[in-house]
C-alpha cells in the first residue's frame, strides 16, 4: 500500500516477525505519517497496553486513508482529480483536494524553492552533489512513501546548517563544565571527554 518494492516489503515483514512484541508500537509509530506530537504520545506511554492503544488508531487511520487513495487511483480520469490529501502531517480520510494545475504548480514551486536554498547554502562541493542527487530522487518520489518525509527533512537540515558561518571558540573549561551540568544529567564520561578536548585546544590551536 505504501508503493514500496517487493524486496523491501519482504525485508520489513521479516523484521516485524523477528521483533519482540513490546517494540511493535514504537516501530508502527515510526513508520506512520503523522505529527511528532502523536508519536511522542506513544513513546511517553509506559505500559505495553497503553502504547498499543495510542499506536493502533494512528495505524488504522493511515490504512483507511491509503485504501481510499488506492480506490481513487482506480477511478475514471475525472474522478482521479479528487484524491486523498497525503500532505505532511499524515493521511486523513475525508480530507480531499482538487489535484489540478494549482496543486502541481505548488509542488513545483516548493521544489524550485528548495533547489534555490540548496544552491544558496554555500555548502562544500561534495555536500552540494549529494543534496542535488537527493533532490532529484525526491522529485520522482510519491509523497505517500515514508522515505519522502525522511529525504525532505534531510535536505531541510542540510540547507539550515551554517556552512559558511562560524563563531569564535570559547575554551573556558569552568564555564563549559557548568553549561554541561546544567543542560545534561549524568553522562560524566562524555562530559569529561569534551572538557579534555577543550583543554587540549587551549594548548594547541590546530584541530589535528
Amino acid at each position: 500500500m505504501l508503493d514500496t518494492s517487493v524486496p523491501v516489503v519482504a525485508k520489513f515483514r521479516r523484521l516485524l516477525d523477528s521483533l519482540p512484541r513490546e517494540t511493535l508500537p514504537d516501530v508502527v509509530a515510526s513508520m506512520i505519517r503523522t505529527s511528532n506530537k502523536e508519536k511522542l504520545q506513544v513513546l511517553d506511554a509506559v505500559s505495553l497496553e497503553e502504547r498499543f492503544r495510542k499506536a493502533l488508531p494512528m495505524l488504522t487511520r493511515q490504512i483507511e486513508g491509503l485504501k481510499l487513495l488506492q480506490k481513487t487511483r482506480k477511478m475514471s480520469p475525472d474522478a482521479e482529480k479528487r484524491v486523498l490529501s497525503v500532505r505532511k502531517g499524515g493521511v486523513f480520510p475525508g480530507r480531499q483536494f482538487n489535484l489540478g494545475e494549482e496543486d502541481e504548480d505548488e509542488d513545483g514551486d516548493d521544489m524550485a524553492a528548495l533547489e534555490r536554498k540548496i544552491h544558496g547554502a554555500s555548502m562544500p562541493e561534495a555536500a552540494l552533489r549529494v543534496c542535488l542527487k537527493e533532490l532529484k530522487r525526491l522529485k520522482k518520489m510519491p509523497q505517500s512513501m515514508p522515505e519522502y518525509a525522511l529525504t525532505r527533512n534531510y535536505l531541510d537540515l542540510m540547507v539550515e546548517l551554517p556552512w559558511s558561518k562560524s563563531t569564535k571558540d570559547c575554551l573556558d573549561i569552568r564555564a563549559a563544565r557548568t553549561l554541561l551540568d546544567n543542560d545534561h544529567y549524568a553522562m560524566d564520561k562524555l562530559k569529561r571527554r569534551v572538557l579534555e578536548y577543550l583543554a587540549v585546544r587551549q594548548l594547541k590551536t590546530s584541530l589535528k
Side-chain angles (χ1 to χ4, degrees), residues 179-192:
L179 190 64
L180 288 170
D181 286 338
N182 290 339
D183 289 351
H184 306 285
Y185 176 75
M187 297 190 294
D188 290 329
K189 289 184 178 180
L190 180 58
K191 292 176 185 177
R192 186 165 62 250

Side-chain angles (χ1 to χ4, degrees), residues 63-204:
I63 290 173
E64 291 300 320
L66 290 171
K67 283 180 180 178
L68 285 173
L69 185 61
Q70 287 183 337
K71 191 175 179 181
T72 55
R73 285 175 177 171
K74 295 176 182 177
M75 292 180 182
S76 61
D78 292 335
E80 281 184 355
K81 289 186 177 181
R82 296 189 59 79
V83 298
L84 197 69
S85 175
V86 199
R87 299 279 183 183
K88 185 177 180 182
V91 182
F92 300 96
R95 290 183 56 186
Q96 296 180 327
F97 64 97
N98 186 11
L99 191 64
E101 293 180 0
E102 292 183 4
D103 296 296
E104 293 176 1
D105 291 344
E106 184 183 334
D107 290 339
D109 292 343
D110 187 39
M111 289 298 170
L114 181 59
E115 187 170 2
R116 286 195 298 271
K117 287 180 181 179
I118 291 173
H119 284 291
S122 302
M123 60 182 69
E125 186 66 28
L128 179 62
R129 284 199 304 269
V130 172
C131 284
L132 292 176
K133 182 180 177 182
E134 291 298 318
L135 179 65
K136 189 175 180 181
R137 289 180 61 241
L138 188 68
K139 289 178 179 178
K140 300 177 181 178
M141 199 181 299
Q143 289 190 5
S144 57
M145 288 185 64
E147 195 178 353
Y148 182 92
L150 185 68
T151 306
R152 180 58 195 256
N153 290 340
Y154 168 77
L155 290 174
D156 287 338
L157 173 64
M158 292 290 282
V159 167
E160 291 171 6
L161 287 175
W163 296 101
S164 56
K165 300 176 183 178
S166 61
T167 56
K168 186 178 179 180
D169 288 339
C170 177
L171 303 178
D172 187 337
I173 296 178
R174 190 184 300 274
R177 178 74 203 206
T178 302
L179 190 64
L180 288 170
D181 286 338
N182 290 339
D183 289 351
H184 306 285
Y185 176 75
M187 297 190 294
D188 290 329
K189 289 184 178 180
L190 180 58
K191 292 176 185 177
R192 186 165 62 250
R193 182 68 187 89
V194 173
L195 297 176
E196 286 173 358
Y197 172 78
L198 294 178
V200 172
R201 285 294 310 278
Q202 284 184 349
L203 301 175
K204 186 176 176 63

Side-chain angles (χ1 to χ4, degrees), residues 27-64:
V27 175
V28 166
S30 69
M31 63 178 283
I32 291 175
R33 291 179 59 81
T34 184
S35 64
N36 287 333
K37 185 177 180 180
E38 282 192 302
K39 293 183 178 183
L40 283 173
Q41 289 178 358
V42 179
L43 291 178
D44 288 340
V46 178
S47 69
L48 181 61
E49 183 179 356
E50 187 182 358
R51 280 155 60 204
F52 268 115
R53 281 180 176 172
K54 292 182 180 297
L56 283 174
M58 294 191 294
L59 180 62
T60 305
R61 184 180 67 200
Q62 172 136 339
I63 290 173
E64 291 300 320

